[in-house]
RNA sequence: GAGGUUGUAGCUCAGUUGGUUAGAGCGUCAGUUUGUGGCACUGAAGGCCGGGGGUUCGAGACCCCUCAUCCUCCCCA
């Protein structure tokens, strides 16, 4: 049998793990800097917890876990009956009652709903864990990938949104990735639907206009018509889509269009609050075509795109008024953002943004040149390790040639050579493998050497 | 779920209108006489040509099916 990997999953070799950790560490550090505390939840949730939270399409992409013990003869008839329901497209706890988590937000909402009595609000948590989606893999899309989330619940203050946009800006600046941080408000989209006279068409409108930069305005208009909007409505939406300029100019034009619509003006106020709050907001870009698929968003929404790479969004998030309400605990509003590490990695790899220093593994290789020699080397090596310097000793006595090549291939910068001559003198030769320079020092001075 | 692409050595790929024992580069391993690597040279190992069926005297090449892969759409990180 030929071993293979499940579709859309990957192994990560040392080099890749180090680069990924570099990203994780930057994100985690900034999360902590802003006062977010870590949380981890199980890989699997009850299917019931996840179903119906991500829209119809989302439900299809949830990985479901087959129940154990279905082959139990005593339960055959029940199992067959339940399976009939599966064939009809329904889920049943008789066949599957657990599923792999699809994102980190819903498990978090479940956690908050379960523990709201113990948590002090506002509650700020960050979470860095893998999620799974039964999507068709392609460029920048995997079936197992990491999300890094930061969410604040129990507060409606827009200051939270300001903080989150700052986290985005800070992290990507630290990573050296040039990005556009787009913001919009679902309230503005709602207003647009209301003005069109089709509040019920809100979803159709947002789905269509979200594709603007991909398919162009003409195709969007076609799609709107297909979705049952009349010419007048389409014309209005076209005006909306044609809004251009910098943030200030866009807002002026939008206000003209929205007029006195209450919801719309609220959305505009929110955006203006965030834009005016700080001086670093030049990184934020209003984008009224931004819609986002997840249907629990109700206020400000975010999306981050890399400037110099062809890649889908590398981060996204938004405000949700009542996520825990789905779990029987109403009135806990929240807002959160997410980083897509796997895509950030792909972008950074493409643009060669990883610093070389990321790949420092073993610092020193001790040569193995005999029984007594290796014992001496071993003792010295342990001393260096005690000082926090990562070292290795060659696994067996071998020719110089071999040991050098090993060091070379692993990118180990220093070799410590202790042979018969050094044993007699109580010295050690330290060789810098990059420059070729070497020097002989007393073994007792090795600890003090700066590698 | 719909459409397309590509499957030949560990990796990247050649392989003529179908014609003997299947090719290169890189990598791996071993040597180039036993305390100084990267270079060079020599040699070796390594392939059910993704799998199954068919056409043919003959298939890595052609046809059908299947699996895998990558990409596009949908949707998303």
């Amino acid at each position: 049998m030929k071993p293979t990997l499940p579709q859309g999953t990957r192994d990560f070799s040392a080099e890749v793990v180090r680069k990924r950790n570099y990203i994780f560490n930057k994100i985690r550090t900034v999360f902590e800097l802003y006062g977010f505390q870590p949380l981890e939840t199980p890989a699997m949730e009850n299917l019931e917890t996840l179903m119906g939270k991500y829209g119809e399409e989302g439900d299809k992409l949830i990985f479901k876990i087959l129940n154990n013990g279905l082959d139990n003869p005593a339960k055959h008839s029940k199992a067959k009956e339940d399976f009939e329901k599966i064939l009809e497209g329904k889920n049943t706890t008789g066949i599957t009652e657990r599923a792999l988590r699809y994102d980190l937000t819903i498990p978090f909402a479940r956690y908050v709903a379960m523990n709201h009595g113990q948590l002090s609000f506002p509650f700020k948590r960050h979470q860095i864990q893998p999620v799974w989606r039964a999507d068709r893999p392609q460029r920048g899309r995997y079936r197992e990938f990491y999300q890094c989330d930061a969410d604040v619940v129990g507060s409606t203050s827009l200051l939270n949104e300001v903080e989150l946009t700052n986290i985005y800006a800070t992290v990507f600046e630290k990573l050296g990735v040039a990005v556009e941080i787009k913001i919009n408000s679902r309230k503005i989209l709602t207003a647009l639907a209301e003005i069109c006279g089709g509040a019920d068409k809100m979803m159709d409108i947002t789905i269509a206009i979200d594709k603007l930069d991909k398919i162009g305005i003409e195709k969007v208009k076609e799609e709107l018509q297909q979705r049952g909007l009349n010419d007048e409505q389409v014309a209005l939406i076209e005006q909306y889509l044609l809004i251009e300029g910098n943030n200030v100019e866009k807002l002026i034009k939008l206000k003209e269009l929205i007029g006195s619509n209450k919801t719309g003006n609220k959305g505009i106020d929110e955006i203006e609050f965030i834009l005016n709050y700080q001086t670093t907001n030049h990184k934020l870009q209003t984008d009224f075509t931004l819609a986002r698929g997840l249907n629990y968003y109700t206020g400000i929404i975010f999306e981050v795109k890399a400037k110099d790479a062809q890649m889908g969004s590398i981060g996204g998030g938004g405000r949700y008024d009542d996520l825990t309400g789905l779990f029987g605990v109403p009135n806990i509003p929240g807002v959160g953002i997410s980083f897509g590490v796997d895509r950030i990695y792909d972008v950074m790899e493409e643009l060669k943004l990883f610093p070389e220093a990321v790949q420092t593994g073993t610092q020193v290789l001790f040569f193995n040149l005999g029984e007594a020699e290796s014992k001496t080397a071993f003792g010295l090596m342990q001393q260096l390790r005690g000082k926090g310097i990562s070292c290795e000793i060659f696994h067996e006595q071998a020719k110089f040639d071999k040991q050098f090549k090993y060091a070379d291939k692993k990118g180990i910068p220093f070799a410590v050579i202790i042979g018969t001559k050094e044993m007699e003198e109580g010295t050690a030769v330290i060789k810098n493998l990059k420059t070729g320079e070497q020097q002989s020092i007393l073994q007792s001075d090795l600890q003090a050497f700066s590698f």
Side-chain angles (χ1 to χ4, degrees):
Chain A
M1 170 192 129
K2 213 157 125 195
T4 57
L5 236 36
Q7 195 179 39
T9 66
R10 297 150 299 159
D11 290 323
F12 301 115
S13 61
E15 192 196 337
V16 180
V17 171
R18 291 212 172 92
K19 287 179 180 171
R20 288 168 61 86
N21 283 342
Y22 172 76
I23 301 174
F24 285 132
N25 290 337
K26 291 271 190 266
I27 293 173
R28 188 179 295 113
T29 305
V30 175
F31 281 170
E32 295 279 344
L33 194 64
Y34 279 73
F36 288 76
Q37 293 178 50
L39 173 73
E40 292 189 19
T41 64
M44 65 180 89
E45 293 279 347
N46 292 324
L47 183 57
E48 199 186 327
T49 303
L50 305 182
M51 290 298 289
K53 311 298 192 296
Y54 309 106
E56 214 174 301
E57 287 301 311
D59 283 356
K60 286 185 197 162
L61 300 180
I62 294 171
F63 270 109
K64 292 154 194 100
I65 299 170
L66 190 65
N67 288 354
N68 292 73
L70 288 173
D71 55 340
N72 183 343
K75 294 179 181 168
H76 268 183
S77 63
K78 176 81 167 65
K80 280 179 181 165
E81 197 179 297
D82 284 338
F83 196 75
E84 286 300 317
K85 289 180 193 159
I86 299 278
L87 294 179
E88 287 164 24
K90 296 173 192 161
N91 286 296
T92 163
T93 53
I95 301 293
T96 168
E97 53 186 339
R98 285 151 296 168
L100 295 176
R101 69 168 164 255
Y102 178 90
D103 72 353
L104 301 178
T105 308
I106 293 297
F108 173 56
R110 190 264 308 147
Y111 173 84
V112 171
M114 280 176 69
N115 299 285
H116 69 281
Q118 283 78 47
L119 301 174
S120 64
F121 291 102
F123 179 63
K124 296 159 75 171
R125 84 88 175 74
H126 72 80
Q127 188 169 353
I128 300 180
Q129 288 189 281
V131 302
W132 294 269
R133 295 186 188 177
D135 228 341
R136 201 67 159 267
Q138 54 184 277
R139 178 177 158 77
R141 171 169 308 184
Y142 307 97
R143 288 187 147 182
E144 177 184 64
F145 62 96
Y146 270 74
Q147 288 193 330
C148 306
D149 277 29
D151 286 79
V152 190
V153 292
S155 163
T156 54
S157 168
L158 286 168
L159 192 52
N160 297 309
E161 273 87 337
V162 172
E163 291 268 75
L164 292 172
T165 58
N166 270 323
I167 288 178
Y168 265 146
T170 309
V171 167
F172 285 113
E173 195 182 311
K174 282 189 178 222
L175 290 173
V177 179
V179 293
E180 285 177 2
I181 304 169
K182 299 179 179 179
I183 70 167
N184 191 16
S185 173
R186 273 279 165 96
K187 294 192 172 91
I188 292 171
L189 294 166
T190 306
L192 178 68
E194 283 173 11
I195 292 167
C196 284
D200 56 317
K201 286 271 188 266
M202 157 98 179
M203 278 316 284
D204 288 309
I205 294 171
T206 55
I207 287 169
I209 68 175
D210 193 38
K211 297 176 189 168
L212 179 65
D213 56 338
K214 229 179 209 170
I215 62 178
I217 191 149
E218 289 308 316
K219 293 265 178 192
V220 170
K221 282 160 72 180
E222 271 175 42
E223 180 155 347
L224 285 167
Q225 276 160 353
Q226 278 169 16
R227 287 176 181 272
L229 280 94
N230 62 39
D231 290 352
E232 200 184 329
Q233 292 170 324
V234 172
L236 194 77
I237 292 168
E238 184 176 9
Q239 270 188 57
Y240 175 88
L241 293 179
L242 289 174
I243 292 175
E244 274 177 351
N246 61 32
N247 289 338
V248 176
E249 291 163 357
K250 279 185 186 168
L251 279 164
I252 290 170
K253 287 176 192 164
L254 182 66
K255 279 176 187 166
E256 286 170 16
L257 202 68
I258 294 291
S260 61
N261 182 285
K262 221 173 148 189
T263 317
N265 281 301
K266 230 174 152 187
I268 291 172
D269 288 347
E270 288 173 355
I271 289 185
E272 285 187 327
F273 178 90
I274 294 166
L275 290 178
N276 295 331
Y277 198 86
Q278 50 187 341
T279 51
T280 56
N281 60 32
H282 58 277
K283 301 203 176 212
L284 299 181
Q285 237 173 51
T286 55
D287 179 355
F288 303 124
T289 69
L290 177 63
R292 298 197 52 76
L294 295 176
N295 51 16
Y296 47 69
Y297 292 126
T298 51
I300 292 285
I301 46 182
F302 310 105
E303 192 158 294
V304 183
K305 289 202 79 174
K307 269 184 181 166
D308 308 315
Q310 191 78 33
M311 179 63 73
S313 64
I314 56 178
R319 176 167 284 279
Y320 38 87
D321 277 343
D322 191 24
L323 212 48
T324 56
L326 299 163
F327 302 112
V329 181
N331 304 322
I332 303 183
V335 57
I337 56 169
S338 182
F339 289 83
V341 171
D342 302 79
R343 285 187 178 176
I344 294 171
Y345 177 95
D346 289 347
V347 168
M348 291 185 66
E349 191 68 83
E350 190 183 324
L351 301 177
K352 300 193 169 34
L353 297 176
F354 287 107
E356 231 176 87
V358 167
Q359 290 308 332
T360 49
T362 305
Q363 277 291 297
V364 184
L365 178 71
F366 283 83
F367 273 30
N368 186 330
L369 299 170
E371 210 173 305
E373 290 87 344
S374 65
K375 264 187 187 155
T376 302
F378 193 88
L380 292 167
M381 174 175 73
Q382 291 297 56
Q383 285 178 18
L384 281 193
R385 283 176 174 164
K387 295 203 69 182
I389 297 165
S390 54
C391 323
E392 292 180 53
I393 185 164
F394 199 75
H395 63 283
E396 62 189 7
Q397 187 180 342
K399 287 200 275 188
F400 270 57
D401 178 70
K402 249 190 147 163
Q403 306 199 36
F404 271 122
K405 279 183 178 164
Y406 177 82
D408 202 43
K409 260 178 271 176
K410 272 190 92 167
I412 300 172
F414 291 99
V416 170
I417 303 167
I418 298 167
T420 38
K421 187 176 144 211
E422 287 75 18
M423 288 291 278
E424 281 166 20
E425 296 172 349
T427 58
V429 170
I430 299 172
K431 177 157 182 164
N432 182 323
L433 297 185
K434 284 198 183 111
T435 63
E437 290 164 20
Q438 66 179 53
Q439 57 180 298
S440 182
I441 65 163
L442 286 173
Q443 287 172 14
S444 51
D445 290 342
L446 189 68
Q447 270 198 88
F449 190 86
S450 65
F451 285 101

